[in-house]
Amino acid sequence: MVGVVGIAFPKFRLVSTLGAYQDLAKDGLWETTMTTKRMGLSGKPETAAEMAARFDDLHPPYNEMMAMTESNRCLYCYDAPCTTACPTSIDIPAFIRKISTGNPNGAAKTILEENILGGTCARVCPTETLCEQACVCNELEGGPVPIGRLQRYAVDHFMEADKPHPFGRKPSSGKTVAVVGAGPAGLACAHRLAMLGHDAVVFEAKAKAGGLNEYGLAAYKMTNDFAQKEVDFLLEIGGITIQYEQRLGDNLLLADLSRDYDAVFIGIGLGDVNDLGLEGEDKDGIHSAIDFIEEIRQAPDKRDVAVGDNVIVIGGGNTAIDAAVQAKRLGAGEVTLVYRRGAEQMGATDFEQDLAKLNDVIVRYWSMPSGIKGNGKVESMVFEKAELDGGKLMGTGETYEVKADMVLKAVGQKLLPSGLDGIELNRGKLVLDEKFQTTMGGVFAGGDAVASGEDLTVQAVEDGKQAAHAIDQYLSGM
Amino acid sequence: MADLKCTIAGIESINPFWLASAPPTDKKYNVVRAFEAGWGGVVWKTLGIDPPVINVSSRYGVHHDHKRRVMGINNIELITDRPLEVNLQEIREVREEWPDRVIIGSIMAPVEKHYWQDLARQVADAGVHGLELNLGCPHGMCERGMGSAIGQVPEMVEQVTRWVKEAVDIPVFTKLTPNITNILWSAEAAYKGGADAVSLINTVNSIISVDLDQMAPTPTVDGVGTHGGYCGSAVKPIALNMVAEIAKSPDTGNMHISGIGGITDWKDAVEFMTLGSNAVQVCTAAMVYGFRIVEDLIDGMSDWMDEKGYTSVAEFTGAAVPQVKDWNELNMNYDIKAVIDPDQCIECGRCHIACEDTSHQAILMKTREDGGKLFEVVDDECVGCNLCLHVCPVEGCISMKEVSAGKPALTWPEHPLNPMKQAAE
């Protein structure tokens, strides 16, 4: 694990010996220092432009020269480990080679045929723990090929070129599938069903499609309304309609869908958040990090988003980092990220953890929330120091207090089971057979809501795609 | 530091690095900059008979590698487009200002005795150390009956060389074109004509690329293009072979060779010299990087000589020539097998797929216990072709080990399976 000092002075690391440089590349710090810079985050920006600059692309898109340089570093491996590491099995050497030959549209098709949301995945995938971790160039000087950014270059090039949709549809099967949830799993499923000749009606609880792509990711990862552009692109294939503000268990019933459609796919994600389990959790100023991120994403002018002066974010995943970094960028005076275990146990990738530090987020490890203080409105939180005792996390009895006028909870999400009566759950998630079918016949599922879910956009896309093939088989047997 | 002095065709040079006759040696300004940088000599850009030619715009096309490094340049520029007297005056000045550097005058004329002899005398009178006969330009001038139009006809090569030798008493270099079927024919012709040395290779006739918007060869001139002369590191292998053929031929005597063709660094220069070049000429590398590259040529060669224990360039000039053989002289009992070092392997699979798809299916891809890949050579299938070694991105990861120690040498003419041998018995 990288120490705080190394991150505070990344340039010293860069000019050190080759060995240290290679370590840097492996740690992902090279990427950090090369693509993000410490922002002078002091106070709230005055103008909309200044605020917008704080939420601009975390990784600026490659221009042609950068794409050529980086794509030519790819060794074009055979049976490439990056492809094996990709949950959607994109033929990465093939698409990178196409970029290097001046064929970015061909590259985009190679990406999109395995991952129709390849544009989002290029932006938000934790590539340093997936394809780029597997890249054989980790063993060579220069570190891994920046696969994510090259993927973005190709897909953006294609989408901006205003080309006809790259995929056609098989002859119509006459079948229609209900897809619940227009997040990555549902959209990927609907698109693949359309390719296979089926129609899809997508029911979305919110006012926009995209799921977490639209509502749940840091704004600097999904700039320029990309989530909606991607949905529009995906719908170009035809045969897919989306009905908005249709919430399962509310104005949408599974029984009706099962009756009215030839099959059902559930890709509703995790609609509920975990509580801290503390008294006073309903005090003013205490919010779910998910809601906070959603508010930022939906605000055209980020200056309209209320942020505290002393913000505490509780949790250790990428959502916690997204909330903490964005709170700081909105102009919070002090943002403290508190996690009950150590840096190595954090769900957030090394890159995300470094990003928090580069944005002046204070990170406190081994601390469990133990109390909320304040009269109606939160004023501070008390944490108890924790340690591992025989593998079990135990409080030490030592406590400390952190001042707060805003607390953002990011301690995990859970399935909202409403409307799922009659389907078996295990540990709060949908149980599937090997053909993506729930315990209710003709009802399939995928994404974060299912037991195997990995809380990764790219895994949700793969689930949706594979479930579509399973549904296709199911429909052909009808 | 080793002594880099060399002698070619009787001319002494402080080092074997000369700039070839080309745009970098077109005028005094460039040549002085080259001498300041450390070049031992220049072959002045080819002089012709007045009135001077007129050049077109544009003039160069380039063959890039994947990283946009220049592998080769193709040019359609003609000889000097300045009046002869302007060039001669500048030559006189530089000769006086830089007495320890070599200037060779490159000349070109139609195939008539008086043209060649008059021009040769005029240039010699300017004080050059020697003359180089440009019989090689494959573009433009050949359409006027000069350049490669002469160099491609051995009888004309001999004739022109003889005319010039008769006219002057300074060393004469005949510059050969590679755009022929057998370099020995023109080299032997130069030798018969009395040349003191041959310079080779001139540029290779080429179309370097097609502009797919204009649908025309590049470099384009007002929407169309023409074939040009190709040079740069991409032509080095062609040049090395031609140099070696002349060096080992008994029919070209001990004629000196000025090696030219894609020399970019000191190692290229050493290779040309080990194959029989007494000195070398450089053009493209200087055009791409500037004259300062001579620093690396000088101290790279010098350092290599120190390491190898050579004290003069003559000690290694031609050292590789005896080892250049005909295929029929190769030992068919020599056998090598690929060895892959798993500790250095980065598991890219390139050796496997190259061998599997295009060679002898001699590298197996296996899965290790930890999930990684292991590449294993099947000795029985490996023919020792070196392909895996060359495609491997990690230098030193794949090596070839000899497995034929103790077997007697056996050539194809001696081989029991050679039907010609059986017929002879």
Side-chain angles (χ1 to χ4, degrees):
Chain A
M1 200 55 230
V2 175
V4 178
V5 174
I7 289 147
F9 303 101
K11 283 184 178 165
F12 289 110
R13 298 283 300 270
L14 279 174
V15 295
S16 60
T17 63
L18 179 63
Y21 165 79
Q22 283 170 335
D23 289 342
L24 202 70
K26 281 179 192 168
D27 289 344
L29 253 182
W30 171 249
E31 178 75 353
T32 305
T33 50
M34 289 308 287
T35 59
T36 67
K37 49 183 180 290
R38 191 178 271 280
M39 303 193 85
L41 296 174
S42 171
K44 284 198 181 189
E46 298 272 317
T47 66
E50 284 174 87
M51 182 61 100
R54 290 190 179 186
F55 287 88
D56 205 359
D57 260 313
L58 183 61
H59 304 291
Y62 277 156
N63 60 26
E64 186 183 350
M65 193 189 80
M66 293 155 97
M68 284 296 176
T69 303
E70 294 295 351
S71 62
N72 274 302
R73 289 180 52 225
C74 175
L75 295 177
Y76 197 52
C77 293
Y78 176 72
D79 191 23
C82 53
T83 292
T84 308
C86 174
T88 56
S89 305
I90 292 172
D91 188 343
I92 293 166
F95 96 68
I96 292 181
R97 182 170 169 77
K98 290 179 185 183
I99 292 175
S100 76
T101 66
N103 177 16
N105 292 328
K109 285 179 204 164
T110 299
I111 294 160
L112 296 166
E113 70 191 17
E114 293 298 348
N115 183 339
I116 195 64
L117 299 181
T120 288
C121 291
R123 289 163 165 79
V124 306
C125 258
T127 50
E128 96 235 47
T129 60
L130 296 170
C131 52
E132 289 172 25
Q133 185 181 53
C135 178
V136 301
C137 290
N138 279 297
E139 305 297 322
L140 303 174
E141 192 182 340
V145 174
I147 298 167
R149 298 182 76 182
L150 287 169
Q151 179 166 319
R152 175 174 173 183
Y153 174 80
V155 175
D156 284 4
H157 189 281
F158 185 89
M159 286 173 62
E160 285 161 15
D162 205 20
K163 295 259 178 190
H165 193 75
F167 305 109
R169 301 185 63 191
K170 280 189 175 176
S172 172
S173 66
K175 302 279 201 303
T176 303
V177 179
V179 173
V180 186
L187 290 171
C189 182
H191 185 270
R192 186 52 60 107
L193 286 168
M195 282 176 70
L196 294 168
H198 314 296
D199 284 349
V201 179
V202 183
F203 298 93
E204 169 55 45
K206 291 186 179 279
K208 291 184 190 174
L212 289 178
N213 298 357
E214 172 60 35
Y215 295 101
L217 301 165
Y220 45 71
K221 294 179 182 170
M222 295 287 285
T223 57
N224 297 322
D225 208 18
F226 183 77
Q228 291 312 301
K229 287 178 187 161
E230 191 173 48
V231 171
D232 293 344
F233 158 75
L234 182 147
L235 294 179
E236 284 169 5
I237 192 168
I240 305 172
T241 52
I242 304 182
Q243 295 188 19
Y244 295 98
E245 295 177 329
Q246 306 286 309
R247 186 176 290 277
L248 199 61
D250 184 359
N251 55 355
L252 189 68
L253 298 176
L254 196 50
D256 293 345
L257 295 177
S258 286
R259 184 193 63 223
D260 297 342
Y261 294 91
D262 297 299
V264 179
F265 174 80
I266 298 175
I268 56 176
L270 302 174
D272 202 1
V273 293
N274 292 328
D275 288 328
L276 300 172
L278 295 176
E279 208 169 302
E281 211 166 324
D282 57 349
K283 285 190 202 299
D284 283 354
I286 300 182
H287 310 276
S288 141
I290 294 282
D291 292 343
F292 178 66
I293 292 167
E294 177 173 334
E295 191 188 348
I296 296 170
R297 282 295 299 276
Q298 299 306 309
D301 185 344
K302 310 299 184 214
R303 290 179 304 175
D304 297 339
V305 181
V307 66
D309 202 31
N310 293 295
V311 180
I312 294 175
V313 180
I314 301 168
N318 286 345
T319 299
I321 305 278
D322 281 357
V325 171
Q326 292 191 108
K328 192 70 193 155
R329 292 192 176 193
L330 284 174
E334 196 163 284
V335 176
T336 309
L337 181 75
V338 186
Y339 180 51
R340 64 201 164 110
R341 291 173 187 264
E344 289 181 33
Q345 288 84 16
M346 270 195 169
T349 60
D350 290 356
F351 173 78
E352 292 283 331
Q353 294 187 43
D354 294 346
L355 184 67
K357 290 164 189 165
L358 280 169
N359 282 272
D360 297 331
V361 171
I362 299 160
V363 185
R364 308 195 85 151
Y365 306 105
W366 301 107
S367 303
M368 305 190 294
S370 61
I372 299 168
K373 291 189 178 177
N375 185 11
K377 186 176 187 324
V378 64
E379 286 170 10
S380 71
M381 277 194 72
V382 180
F383 296 93
E384 182 181 2
K385 291 207 168 176
E387 60 185 18
L388 280 178
D389 184 2
K392 199 166 183 288
L393 192 71
M394 303 288 284
T396 63
E398 187 188 340
T399 62
Y400 64 90
E401 196 170 329
V402 180
K403 203 168 116 182
D405 54 0
M406 184 181 213
V407 174
L408 299 170
K409 297 183 286 182
V411 291
Q413 295 153 258
K414 58 187 178 185
L415 181 69
L416 191 65
S418 68
L420 297 172
D421 301 338
I423 297 184
E424 192 183 327
L425 302 184
N426 182 22
R427 296 182 174 198
K429 294 213 178 183
L430 294 163
V431 175
L432 298 186
D433 64 16
E434 69 278 7
K435 290 180 174 169
F436 291 83
Q437 192 163 209
T438 66
T439 52
M440 188 180 283
V443 178
F444 298 76
D448 290 352
V450 306
S452 63
E454 291 190 44
D455 297 350
L456 281 177
T457 307
V458 64
Q459 185 59 51
V461 172
E462 179 66 5
D463 280 2
K465 179 178 94 185
Q466 296 299 345
H469 285 285
I471 293 168
D472 181 55
Q473 269 197 342
Y474 167 81
L475 293 176
S476 67
M478 281 175 86
Chain B
M1 182 160 164
D3 183 5
L4 295 186
K5 277 205 293 286
C6 74
T7 304
I8 177 165
I11 301 165
E12 287 189 1
S13 178
I14 59 166
N15 63 44
F17 310 119
W18 294 0
L19 285 167
S21 168
T25 59
D26 188 33
K27 53 188 183 297
K28 178 182 176 183
Y29 180 83
N30 306 70
V31 170
V32 167
R33 286 181 66 86
F35 287 163
E36 284 168 351
W39 293 86
V42 300
V43 184
W44 205 274
K45 183 161 165 91
T46 303
L47 307 166
I49 288 156
D50 284 341
V53 302
I54 295 169
N55 275 302
V56 295
S57 155
S58 53
R59 301 179 193 178
Y60 305 131
V62 161
H63 181 44
H64 282 122
D65 75 1
H66 293 304
K67 294 181 176 167
R68 223 184 131 71
R69 283 182 298 223
V70 174
M71 297 174 74
I73 292 183
N74 155 299
N75 88 89
I76 58 169
E77 185 172 295
L78 305 181
I79 61 175
T80 184
D81 48 17
R82 306 188 313 154
L84 180 62
E85 185 45 40
V86 171
N87 280 301
L88 295 181
Q89 178 55 31
E90 289 186 2
I91 288 171
R92 284 190 282 267
E93 289 167 16
V94 184
R95 273 292 290 124
E96 198 176 317
E97 292 165 25
W98 293 85
D100 68 335
R101 305 304 166 92
V102 176
I103 298 181
I104 305 291
S106 171
I107 57 173
M108 178 188 283
V111 196
E112 283 191 44
K113 186 176 180 178
H114 69 98
Y115 282 136
W116 278 98
Q117 294 196 335
D118 288 351
L119 185 59
R121 286 190 197 103
Q122 279 179 279
V123 178
D125 287 348
V128 296
H129 293 83
L131 292 174
E132 184 178 87
L133 316 183
N134 181 341
L135 308 183
C137 270
H139 50 87
M141 301 310 290
C142 54
E143 294 174 25
R144 305 176 194 183
M146 293 180 263
S148 63
I150 301 174
Q152 286 169 337
V153 183
E155 293 76 7
M156 289 193 199
V157 172
E158 182 180 342
Q159 182 67 78
V160 167
T161 305
R162 181 168 290 122
W163 286 338
V164 174
K165 279 298 288 182
E166 284 168 7
V168 298
D169 55 6
I170 54 176
V172 171
F173 296 63
T174 300
K175 188 168 181 179
L176 305 180
T177 172
N179 303 299
I180 37 74
T181 51
N182 185 344
I183 195 69
L184 289 178
W185 297 345
S186 35
E188 285 163 19
Y191 177 64
K192 285 185 211 155
D196 300 280
V198 283
S199 304
L200 74 157
I201 58 174
N202 205 311
T203 55
V204 181
N205 212 349
S206 63
I207 286 178
I208 200 143
S209 70
V210 176
D211 181 322
L212 294 176
D213 296 318
Q214 298 191 64
M215 279 299 167
T218 65
T220 58
V221 178
D222 196 19
V224 299
T226 184
H227 61 91
Y230 192 36
C231 56
S233 60
V235 309
K236 177 188 150 194
I238 298 167
L240 281 179
N241 176 52
M242 290 183 169
V243 165
E245 287 207 40
I246 295 171
K248 69 176 184 154
S249 167
D251 299 326
T252 51
N254 290 318
M255 195 165 51
H256 275 188
I257 299 172
S258 181
I260 312 169
I263 294 165
T264 305
D265 58 32
W266 66 268
K267 192 159 167 284
D268 295 332
V270 169
E271 289 178 32
F272 269 83
M273 294 178 75
T274 61
L275 284 177
S277 299
N278 303 81
V280 297
Q281 298 182 32
V282 176
C283 172
T284 312
M287 290 178 69
V288 174
Y289 300 111
F291 294 142
R292 60 202 164 128
I293 59 162
V294 75
E295 274 178 44
D296 163 68
L297 292 171
I298 291 169
D299 57 29
M301 180 180 282
S302 173
D303 189 56
W304 173 82
M305 286 170 65
D306 289 344
E307 268 179 34
K308 292 283 183 185
Y310 294 116
T311 54
S312 77
V313 296
E315 290 169 28
F316 65 87
T317 300
V321 175
Q323 285 72 251
V324 180
K325 302 286 191 188
D326 286 344
W327 195 95
N328 261 348
E329 296 172 86
L330 302 180
N331 175 12
M332 310 203 74
N333 272 344
Y334 179 71
D335 197 8
I336 54 174
K337 305 288 180 198
V339 179
I340 302 171
D341 176 2
D343 292 335
Q344 291 190 63
C345 177
I346 61 170
E347 302 175 23
C348 69
R350 294 268 301 271
C351 58
H352 164 77
I353 198 61
C355 190
E356 191 70 14
D357 277 356
T358 69
S359 288
H360 295 82
Q361 298 75 48
I363 299 179
L364 302 178
M365 185 168 72
K366 294 185 165 175
T367 306
R368 286 198 317 253
E369 273 180 20
D370 67 1
K373 293 192 192 107
L374 184 69
F375 296 92
E376 211 173 84
V377 178
V378 184
D379 277 359
D380 285 349
E381 301 297 334
C382 177
V383 301
C385 73
N386 291 349
L387 179 63
C388 56
L389 177 157
H390 294 311
V391 301
C392 177
V394 181
E395 196 173 349
C397 175
I398 300 182
S399 55
M400 308 301 292
K401 73 162 185 257
E402 188 186 345
V403 294
S404 52
K407 282 193 182 176
L410 179 73
T411 64
W412 178 239
E414 304 158 346
H415 200 284
L417 294 179
N418 180 351
M420 301 308 289
K421 175 178 182 283
Q422 286 165 357
E425 276 170 358

